[in-house]
Amino acid sequence: PVRVNDFVEVDAHQGVVERIGNRSTQIRRTDGVHLLIPNSQMLERVVVNWTLVDRQIRTIVKVGVAYGSPLRLTADLIEQAVKEHPDVRAEPPPLIVLDDFGDSAIIFDAYFWCDVGGERELRGIRSDVRFRLDELFNENGIVIAFPQQDVHINSTAPLEVRLLKADSKG
């Protein structure tokens, strides 16, 4: 079942149902584009109705911190940032997972539920949580990681390093 104002996903398109006619359904995508989808296709394709039963949607925020960061404190700060947001549900509680020891960062995932009508609102909530994470991390000396590589030169012979000055004519 699909109703007007439901947030749906059809193929690669997400949007709000604006009108259901005899022959087609009008959906306004999250980027504002209107789609007219024949009702026959609505019956033949997989349609995900994000708001069929309620407005509760789970989302995720991923963040990578620098190696050497205090991991328990990092997890606590991520949880704090999520719980502080007014649109995040208290139940079920947020789940903070240390996902991986990546090449350039220690990766955390924050899973949490929100009461929203679709992807646009979720994007705003995730953005708010990221801004708050930046503030909390800065206050606590935790660095959001960036891609980096260490280069180790293994040589048995002495290595000569010279600095060359650019030619002033060219």
Side-chain angles (χ1 to χ4, degrees):
V2 175
R3 302 170 303 238
V4 171
N5 293 325
D6 280 354
F7 184 78
V8 298
E9 184 174 338
V10 181
D11 294 331
H13 306 289
Q14 294 180 337
V16 175
V17 176
E18 291 191 329
R19 185 182 61 78
I20 301 173
N22 290 334
R23 295 185 176 184
S24 65
T25 298
Q26 181 177 321
I27 297 173
R28 183 172 184 160
R29 287 191 331 203
T30 54
D31 61 1
V33 172
H34 287 88
L35 298 173
L36 287 175
I37 301 176
N39 288 339
S40 61
Q41 290 185 13
M42 294 289 286
L43 295 171
E44 295 170 358
R45 297 184 181 200
V46 174
V47 176
V48 177
N49 189 336
W50 290 43
T51 53
L52 176 63
V53 176
D54 55 37
R55 294 171 45 92
Q56 296 177 25
I57 299 175
R58 190 190 78 176
T59 191
I60 182 174
V61 168
K62 293 180 163 290
V63 62
V65 297
Y67 277 91
S69 299
L71 300 184
R72 292 282 179 208
L73 175 61
T74 300
D76 291 344
L77 294 173
I78 294 170
E79 184 173 15
Q80 177 184 339
V82 170
K83 285 182 172 180
E84 286 179 359
H85 199 285
D87 293 325
V88 172
R89 297 180 51 83
E91 290 296 326
L95 174 64
I96 311 304
V97 176
L98 195 163
D99 181 58
D100 199 5
F101 293 100
D103 291 338
S104 300
I106 300 171
I107 310 297
F108 285 86
D109 294 338
Y111 297 92
F112 53 95
W113 290 83
C114 301
D115 284 317
V116 295
E119 180 64 23
R120 181 174 184 219
E121 293 171 70
L122 279 178
R123 290 175 63 92
I125 293 168
R126 288 191 300 255
S127 176
D128 292 345
V129 168
R130 289 182 182 111
F131 276 119
R132 183 65 178 134
L133 278 174
D134 182 60
E135 292 169 358
L136 290 171
F137 285 178
N138 283 332
E139 291 169 9
N140 289 275
I142 296 173
V143 176
I144 295 174
F146 53 90
Q148 53 191 320
Q149 286 186 324
D150 291 333
V151 177
H152 296 273
I153 299 172
N154 189 3
S155 174
T156 56
L159 183 63
E160 180 182 346
V161 177
R162 293 187 304 151
L163 297 175
L164 301 176
K165 191 173 185 180
D167 185 2
S168 61
K169 295 179 184 177

